[in-house]
Amino acid sequence: MANMISDETIDYVGILAKLDLSGEQKEQAKKDMGRMLDYIDKLNELDTEGVEPMSHVFPVSNVFREDVVTNGDDRANTIQNAPKEKDGMFMVPRTVE
Amino acid sequence: MDILKLTAVELAARIKAKEVTVLEAVEAVLGQIEKKEEELHCYVTVDREGAIKRAGEVQKAIDEGALTGPLAGVPVAVKDNMCTKDMLTTCSSKILNNFIPTFSAEAVIRLEEAGAVILGKTNMDEFAMGSTTETSAYGVTKNPWNIEHVPGGSSGGSAAAVVAEECFFALGSDTGGSIRQPASFCGVVGMKPTYGTVSRYGLIAYGSSLDQIGPLTKDVTDCAAILEVISSHDTKDSTSVERQDTDFTKALVDDVAGMKIGIPRDYFSSGIEPEVKEAVLAAANLLKEKGAIVEEFDLSLVEYAIPAYYTIAAAEASSNLERFDGVKYGYRTKESEGLHDMYKKTRSEGFGEEVKRRIMLGSFVLSSGYYDAYYLKALKVKALIKKAFDEAFEKYDVILGPVAPTTAPKLGSSLSDPIKMYLGDIYTISVNLAGLPGISIPCGMDKAGLPIGLQLIGNSFQEKKLIQTAYAYEQARGAFVKKEGN
Amino acid sequence: MAKEYETVIGLEVHVELATKTKIFCGCSTAFGGAPNTHTCPVCTGMPGSLPVLNKQVVEYAIAVGLATNCSITQYCKFDRKNYFYPDNPQNYQISQLYLPICRNGGVEIETEEGKKQVGIHEIHMEEDAGKLIHDEWEDCSLVDYNRSGVPLIEIVSEPDMRSAEEVIAYLEKLRLIIQYLGASDCKLQEGSMRADVNLSVREKGAKEFGTRTEMKNLNSFKAIARAIEGERTRQIELLEEGKPVIQETRRWDDSKEYSYAMRSKEDAQDYRYFPDPDLVPVQISDEWLAEIRERQPEFRTEKMKRYKEEYGIPEYDIEIITNSKHLADLFEATVAICRQPKKVSNWLMVETMRLLKERDMEPEDIRFSPENLAKLIALTDSRAINSTVAKEVFEVMFDKDMDPEAYVEEKGLKTVNDEGALRKTVEEIVAANPQSVEDYHNGKQKAIGFLVGQTMKAMQGKADPAAVNKLLKEMLEG
């Protein structure tokens, strides 16, 4: 395997993606990601010099809304699925110490 | 008359002619669900009461002449990644185990306005990540042709429900082949339209630049009729395309004389099962006999589509799935110490292995120092692939090939080796990268009695050519019916 | 000899745009709604929702870019900035990294050493976050998404500033330009204008920049000035002790006058920007640009020149009046009605400024209408009320914006112009104050002032003091 994923890398990706991996899962994840990256490295066989990266397949642009209020009070719907709620707001663990 | 044997368009005609009531149709299909679900598990949610109640309302509207369309009164199943107002929508994930949307997806609204009756939500690979419907948090769906095999995925529940007559048609979504491949494995018709044809509003995103909703149906006629109903220019979806030519049923013409069909040699080079190859080439011959001009050509870049796809889809997915964090909806871990611990536990407990695998890959390819090497590189390869198709469509009206290199694999045989599983997407994935329409129709069976799918790929916005070719082929092929007990 | 240090400062200024709706949905941007009442699936990150760009946001951003001499990126895109925080419902913020809408501009500021150019690196469009409220009782935080999705532009300066004074001059300049455009009210206290300060120090004459820190949570000019001083001192102390400055984000605590590192091991600061696949590019044609350019308002410099030529009011007045778009608008609208620029300017410069100061208000908070100010001026012109009464009426008008004509009528404040009644009162006052009359005749001119005052008092202030004075003189001389 050309791409060796280190513990540090997997831990770092865990922080970015907010995923907690157990020891065993971590080893598997390192292996899987290494293999996938080896496979993705195949793209380097292609010369893409001067090729414009394509985000959208069609050249559509300028899709706008007019600045007109169309929504009313939708609070009941907004918080309907909240796992924890208080006073019409979403309750989360403290964000500052 | 066996109601369940009718196609969607046939059923609507019978309802219109007052030969069948909407309630009879709904009850027939609910009966079939009752009979088959324990074995097949096509659905995550079946809304019996809702469907029966809705049957009455639709019948009334039909009787009053308010509903006259070709889907009025037809029971439909919807893949569980499309929001349905007041109906559980899980994406087959634990992280949405209690999520009740407050609005419906635009495609679902279109169906409801046309008088379709929503039966429930079909099982899928978790967040549409997979090709077998085995990554669902709510159990696997089995292939109705042989329950030891997978139905394909990610829209496996939708495809299986159609062939098992647990609905008259279904909606699926296709990011890398997720409609066409299960359609192929289950012996039904499935179509991914041109990107932007069906609104993505209310479709819970996997890879936003690749996702499209499309129909899974019993035949090509249903496929055209349903696509006509669900396609729309939606101002709520910035990537929705305004197009005039969505009268797809007009293309149901049994004529391929002069149609130029190209077969990519690269699709038959390696990894394809001989039986699949034979069946697909036989289908090509049939079209040739009907007057189509069929020739082989080199499409090129075929083997680069999968790595480019997995880079782009994983990157987009890693971002799209960030919103599932236990704050606003869905699952939240029971015990946690502080905010970030809550995030990590919620997501680690809420997502399955394949989803985590792709989120991690996606986070990595976008991370500082790797963006250019992986993500931008993949977007450049995507541009090259699009160009290769553009060149092909200068010569051909339609590209013909297999949907998948094999028929449906056995349950439990795919997930152990992700890359091998990803390789199964080789013929479908580039169609998503290039935003093209593609259709899968049954073209034969292997020795084990499992269906084989034929894929037709069209240029952007050329669904009509696909429908016409598929329809002509279907007429020549004759009925493709799953026999009871098969 | 102690080393001399130079402070190098760059600013990231966030400005909330004055659109009616949010950047990607049709929710209202109005302040003051109950929590989560201005929300919808889009601005709360509901699964399946999709953003659609508010055109007015693009127009405002272009207008600000043109007014700050930027080049406009005619093909621009939105990118996702990925980070987890509860005020950010999707856990990514839609912003612009790769192709921001404006680049390479700058504004001129006035410093003690004269004029100076501050470069603008870029301006980009993005969405605001929601609000977190800390609940001490439950020991948790509560999230309100009313502000989530409110459109912002972020104006990123070059590291061209060297002192708190320059920073404030730059912010004042930006604020004025944006207010003139009507693109935002730019109130620091209310958060519609927010500044993050990037600061580093280096030895005087050094070519390389030092390591910078970013300070957040600065919500007044005073806090900004204190934070700059505090952070400069902190960094110099580190360098003097031979310790490195760490590149980090710090939170300024204005009450303690100290900044704290906002570090966390869960905070990787790796935002994984990539083009948002849900939004299509924005293409700004030459025609569109020309249209916006055409609509640009008269800015301060042009206005000052015009005021001088057109109204002939003192330069100092022009300076003050044009320093607030609202004040300038009020001035022009009132002059348009009453055609008396000097009088209007006087009311604004003297009484208005006094009351603003007394009530701790900004010129933007002025509520009285040009119509009512014009009416008040007409009342004094026609001598219907005297200047003392006028000032009293103005104060009420300043607070309540009522019609001064009706008010004067209702309260019976009109000057008594009845010669007979006035003469009778004057006669009574003269008769009642023989000592003052004698003093006047003995050459004490001041005594007449006392008699005028007594007359005014007897008339409950409703007399014209000039007329009283004239009558008294006639009577005493005669």
Side-chain angles (χ1 to χ4, degrees):
Chain A
M1 199 154 67
N3 286 281
M4 295 296 287
I5 305 298
S6 66
D7 284 333
E8 289 73 31
T9 303
I10 276 293
D11 288 343
Y12 181 71
V13 171
I15 289 172
L16 294 180
K18 299 289 171 217
L19 290 172
D20 220 353
L21 301 181
S22 69
E24 203 179 306
Q25 290 169 325
K26 207 181 275 183
E27 288 312 309
Q28 187 61 43
K30 278 160 64 181
K31 227 173 77 193
D32 288 346
M33 194 184 293
R35 280 192 65 197
M36 268 316 279
L37 292 175
D38 286 350
Y39 185 45
I40 290 170
D41 282 341
K42 189 175 170 60
L43 296 178
N44 293 327
E45 293 169 12
L46 288 176
D47 180 7
T48 51
E49 189 69 36
V51 177
E52 197 56 37
M54 181 182 264
S55 310
H56 291 277
V57 275
F58 305 127
V60 178
S61 61
N62 293 9
V63 175
F64 298 123
R65 279 176 38 241
E66 292 303 316
D67 186 25
V68 177
V69 178
T70 51
N71 301 339
D73 178 358
D74 200 27
R75 168 152 95 174
N77 281 328
T78 293
I79 60 169
Q80 181 189 290
N81 282 286
K84 270 189 152 180
E85 173 255 336
K86 187 187 178 186
D87 302 335
M89 289 178 276
F90 299 93
M91 195 192 270
V92 296
R94 267 188 93 85
T95 52
V96 285
E97 280 73 44
Chain B
M1 171 184 55
D2 185 351
I3 294 177
L4 294 175
K5 297 282 174 249
L6 299 173
T7 66
V9 169
E10 284 167 0
L11 173 65
R14 301 282 179 110
I15 290 171
K16 201 172 178 180
K18 302 206 184 295
E19 293 165 26
V20 180
T21 67
V22 181
L23 189 62
E24 280 165 5
V26 168
E27 282 178 337
V29 88
L30 286 175
Q32 180 75 349
I33 289 171
E34 188 83 19
K35 210 166 99 196
K36 292 276 181 182
E37 263 306 87
E38 208 182 341
E39 184 177 68
L40 298 176
H41 189 49
C42 304
Y43 286 87
V44 176
T45 303
V46 176
D47 181 17
R48 283 163 218 280
E49 284 105 76
I52 288 167
K53 185 166 164 276
R54 169 93 175 135
E57 292 163 11
V58 170
Q59 185 69 58
K60 193 161 168 275
I62 292 170
D63 293 345
E64 286 166 356
L67 273 176
T68 56
L71 297 179
V74 180
V76 56
V78 175
K79 189 178 181 180
D80 209 20
N81 60 351
M82 284 169 237
C83 289
T84 41
K85 191 173 188 294
D86 301 330
M87 193 190 291
L88 184 69
T89 298
T90 70
C91 283
S92 286
S93 179
K94 181 179 173 184
I95 212 156
L96 285 177
N97 62 359
N98 53 5
F99 176 60
I100 312 286
T102 57
F103 64 94
S104 287
E106 186 66 16
V108 170
I109 291 172
R110 292 262 147 189
L111 283 184
E112 285 177 329
E113 283 174 0
V117 177
I118 292 165
L119 295 163
K121 309 298 287 291
T122 56
N123 200 17
M124 55 187 278
D125 281 296
E126 185 182 6
F127 282 102
M129 298 178 190
S131 333
T132 65
T133 314
E134 291 171 298
T135 69
S136 167
Y138 304 106
V140 300
T141 297
K142 288 167 189 160
N143 192 319
W145 294 79
N146 182 338
I147 58 166
E148 284 173 22
H149 289 254
V150 303
S154 64
S155 311
S158 287
V162 172
V163 75
E165 295 165 348
E166 290 187 49
C167 62
F168 287 86
F169 73 97
L171 288 190
S173 70
D174 191 318
T175 307
S178 281
I179 288 174
R180 290 160 288 155
Q181 185 256 33
S184 164
F185 286 3
C186 289
V188 298
V189 174
M191 184 164 191
K192 177 204 110 61
T194 306
Y195 187 77
T197 299
V198 180
S199 169
R200 292 187 298 114
Y201 197 86
L203 170 68
I204 300 178
Y206 159 24
S208 312
S209 70
L210 307 160
D211 297 340
Q212 263 298 285
I213 292 171
L216 289 114
T217 60
K218 292 180 178 176
D219 67 7
V220 177
T221 304
D222 278 5
C223 178
I226 290 147
L227 187 60
E228 198 166 301
V229 167
I230 61 174
S231 58
S232 71
H233 177 229
D234 184 4
T235 54
K236 298 189 298 304
D237 174 0
S238 304
T239 62
S240 171
V241 176
E242 192 165 7
R243 50 187 295 193
Q244 313 299 332
D245 59 337
T246 53
D247 50 347
F248 299 114
T249 46
K250 290 250 163 63
L252 293 166
V253 181
D254 184 10
D255 177 18
V256 280
M259 188 79 80
K260 281 178 266 169
I261 298 175
I263 302 179
R265 257 179 228 110
D266 353 26
Y267 277 16
F268 296 88
S269 52
S270 68
I272 187 166
E273 278 179 3
E275 285 174 290
V276 172
K277 181 176 177 177
E278 269 167 44
V280 169
L281 292 178
N285 262 331
L286 206 52
L287 286 165
K288 201 171 177 179
E289 282 165 21
K290 292 192 75 156
I293 302 156
V294 180
E295 60 182 52
E296 292 187 3
F297 76 107
D298 293 313
L299 180 62
S300 83
L301 302 173
V302 173
E303 70 267 40
Y304 299 100
I306 298 176
Y309 169 86
Y310 276 94
T311 307
I312 294 166
E316 290 181 4
S318 73
S319 176
N320 285 332
L321 269 60
E322 281 165 349
R323 66 186 66 202
F324 304 104
D325 61 357
V327 173
K328 300 146 302 240
Y329 36 73
Y331 174 78
R332 181 193 285 201
T333 189
K334 297 291 160 284
E335 296 282 332
S336 61
E337 285 164 42
L339 179 69
H340 290 280
D341 191 48
M342 189 278 279
Y343 282 153
K344 282 189 159 186
K345 286 204 171 111
T346 295
R347 290 166 60 81
S348 301
E349 292 160 14
F351 290 135
E353 293 314 310
E354 184 61 28
V355 172
K356 285 187 221 176
R357 189 153 37 220
R358 294 193 200 187
I359 288 178
M360 282 195 286
L361 178 66
S363 300
F364 181 78
V365 297
L366 290 176
S367 69
S368 177
Y370 298 101
Y371 178 80
D372 288 9
Y374 290 115
Y375 187 71
L376 269 195
K377 180 79 184 182
L379 288 186
K380 289 176 181 176
V381 173
K382 175 182 168 181
L384 294 179
I385 289 169
K386 172 85 165 75
K387 197 162 152 265
F389 274 110
D390 286 346
E391 283 163 11
F393 285 116
E394 282 172 18
K395 287 184 286 181
Y396 305 108
D397 296 309
V398 169
I399 292 172
L400 180 151
V403 177
T406 66
T407 54
K410 279 205 159 161
L411 285 163
S413 65
S414 305
L415 294 186
S416 56
D417 187 348
I419 289 184
K420 199 176 149 207
M421 181 171 81
Y422 301 161
L423 281 169
D425 302 337
I426 189 155
Y427 309 128
T428 47
I429 259 175
S430 51
V431 173
N432 299 76
L433 285 173
L436 306 172
I439 190 169
S440 165
I441 55 170
C443 69
M445 267 184 266
D446 68 4
K447 282 196 232 60
L450 289 165
I452 297 167
L454 165 73
Q455 180 174 221
L456 301 172
I457 302 165
N459 200 356
S460 314
F461 310 113
Q462 298 299 320
E463 279 85 352
K464 281 187 176 172
K465 280 185 188 167
L466 283 191
I467 289 166
Q468 188 175 335
T469 311
Y471 182 72
Y473 169 73
E474 188 179 64
Q475 294 302 308
R477 182 203 66 195
F480 189 85
V481 204
K482 180 183 161 310
K483 291 175 201 82
E484 210 45 53
N486 197 342
Chain C
M1 199 186 89
K3 289 176 188 163
E4 272 201 79
Y5 289 94
E6 179 182 52
T7 320
V8 176
I9 309 166
L11 289 194
E12 289 167 18
V13 179
H14 289 87
V15 175
E16 270 187 9
L17 297 177
T19 53
K20 294 184 196 72
T21 62
K22 295 186 178 182
I23 182 166
F24 298 121
C25 63
C27 287
S28 167
T29 55
F31 264 104
N36 289 313
T37 50
H38 297 165
T39 60
C40 74
V42 177
C43 59
T44 56
M46 288 292 158
S49 65
L50 293 170
V52 183
L53 179 60
N54 181 342
K55 189 177 184 185
Q56 185 62 52
V57 172
V58 181
E59 301 219 326
Y60 277 147
I62 295 172
V64 174
L66 291 174
T68 52
N69 312 300
C70 290
S71 47
I72 306 299
T73 315
Q74 289 183 267
Y75 179 83
C76 77
K77 285 184 184 180
F78 283 91
D79 303 298
R80 291 187 186 175
K81 177 182 183 180
N82 298 283
Y83 66 96
F84 280 81
Y85 210 61
D87 62 3
N88 172 12
Q90 306 158 114
N91 288 320
Y92 58 80
Q93 178 195 32
I94 304 177
S95 180
Q96 296 190 293
L97 178 76
Y98 296 107
L99 293 167
I101 187 160
C102 313
R103 281 185 286 210
N104 302 327
V107 294
E108 196 175 70
I109 58 167
E110 302 269 354
T111 70
E112 278 176 18
E113 289 92 48
K115 289 179 173 168
K116 176 175 178 171
Q117 191 71 19
V118 176
I120 289 176
H121 181 74
E122 65 170 67
I123 302 176
H124 60 255
M125 302 176 275
E126 62 185 27
E127 53 180 343
D128 205 351
K131 206 169 80 184
L132 287 165
I133 296 144
H134 305 294
D135 186 324
E136 301 299 331
W137 187 255
E138 303 261 6
D139 192 31
C140 67
S141 300
L142 300 172
V143 199
D144 169 12
Y145 289 122
N146 279 351
R147 304 311 292 162
S148 166
V150 169
L152 298 176
I153 49 172
E154 180 175 335
I155 306 167
V156 182
S157 84
E158 298 292 352
D160 287 347
M161 287 159 279
R162 297 290 174 268
S163 67
E165 292 68 38
E166 290 185 11
V167 166
I168 287 163
Y170 168 74
L171 284 170
E172 293 271 21
K173 182 83 185 201
L174 284 185
R175 179 161 81 163
L176 206 56
I177 290 171
I178 295 167
Q179 284 176 347
Y180 265 71
L181 286 166
S184 172
D185 56 10
C186 293
K187 290 182 178 169
L188 261 81
Q189 269 83 354
E190 290 179 15
S192 61
M193 186 179 199
R194 307 192 281 262
D196 298 340
V197 173
N198 287 303
L199 185 148
S200 63
V201 295
R202 61 178 169 189
E203 266 189 70
K204 262 223 162 98
K207 287 217 163 50
E208 300 287 307
F209 287 129
T211 305
R212 68 166 196 269
T213 59
E214 183 184 356
M215 269 184 301
K216 290 184 181 289
N217 194 37
L218 305 167
N219 47 24
S220 71
F221 285 148
K222 280 177 191 150
I224 290 169
R226 279 193 289 265
I228 287 171
E229 198 38 56
E231 182 60 14
R232 171 187 155 85
T233 309
R234 190 188 71 87
Q235 288 191 15
I236 291 173
E237 278 172 11
L238 283 174
L239 295 180
E240 292 280 312
E241 290 167 20
K243 292 178 185 161
V245 173
I246 298 161
Q247 183 165 348
E248 63 191 354
T249 304
R250 299 176 69 84
R251 183 184 171 84
W252 177 252
D253 185 333
D254 203 42
S255 61
K256 300 193 177 102
E257 297 204 22
Y258 194 75
S259 65
Y260 297 90
M262 296 168 70
R263 240 172 322 173
S264 150
K265 67 177 174 56
E266 292 296 344
D267 194 10
Q269 300 265 348
D270 182 344
Y271 297 124
R272 290 156 287 140
Y273 281 97
F274 74 106
D276 192 327
D278 288 333
L279 289 161
V280 297
V282 177
Q283 271 193 298
I284 302 158
S285 65
D286 292 342
E287 292 72 34
W288 192 9
L289 265 187
E291 262 173 56
I292 293 169
R293 203 172 263 127
E294 191 65 31
R295 287 204 299 264
Q296 293 287 77
E298 176 187 47
F299 286 105
R300 191 182 185 203
T301 323
E302 306 149 40
K303 211 181 256 301
M304 289 173 85
K305 195 163 157 257
R306 181 168 65 85
Y307 278 21
K308 204 172 157 189
E309 289 161 6
E310 210 171 306
Y311 303 128
I313 56 173
E315 272 189 45
Y316 180 72
D317 292 17
I318 294 178
E319 184 95 13
I320 300 288
I321 290 171
T322 58
N323 197 31
S324 154
K325 172 71 168 25
H326 186 67
L327 214 52
D329 286 347
L330 185 60
F331 172 76
E332 288 180 39
T334 315
V335 171
I337 301 168
C338 73
R339 314 242 158 244
Q340 304 206 65
K342 283 207 173 92
K343 284 191 178 153
V344 177
S345 162
N346 269 338
W347 277 109
L348 296 180
M349 293 297 297
V350 186
E351 287 306 299
T352 306
M353 287 300 154
R354 179 179 70 79
L355 290 170
L356 283 176
K357 203 171 166 199
E358 261 182 41
R359 287 161 175 60
D360 197 19
M361 286 164 62
E362 296 289 322
E364 278 62 42
D365 304 325
I366 295 171
R367 287 293 155 260
F368 64 82
S369 67
E371 289 74 21
N372 287 338
L373 178 56
K375 279 183 183 173
L376 185 66
I377 291 170
L379 285 168
T380 57
D381 281 356
S382 67
R383 301 194 166 230
I385 54 173
N386 64 46
S387 64
T388 316
V389 173
K391 281 179 194 167
E392 286 167 24
V393 174
F394 179 80
E395 189 158 342
V396 182
M397 194 178 93
F398 182 91
D399 293 328
K400 292 186 186 145
D401 188 31
M402 80 306 172
D403 179 344
E405 277 174 8
Y407 183 81
V408 163
E409 201 66 48
E410 186 197 324
K411 300 274 170 185
L413 297 175
K414 268 205 171 149
T415 306
V416 177
N417 284 324
D418 175 350
E419 266 280 321
L422 188 58
R423 186 171 290 274
K424 190 167 164 274
T425 310
V426 169
E427 278 168 0
E428 280 166 17
I429 294 297
V430 167
N433 295 283
Q435 184 61 47
S436 297
V437 175
E438 201 185 316
D439 288 350
Y440 178 80
H441 285 133
N442 288 341
K444 277 196 177 171
Q445 291 288 325
K446 271 198 248 135
I448 200 164
F450 175 75
L451 293 169
V452 171
Q454 291 300 104
T455 312
M456 290 301 289
K457 201 173 162 189
M459 301 279 300
Q460 291 162 311
K462 291 184 285 183
D464 177 1
V468 172
N469 200 303
K470 193 165 156 254
L471 201 57
L472 266 169
K473 274 191 178 160
E474 271 173 35
M475 219 174 277
L476 296 173
E477 310 273 314

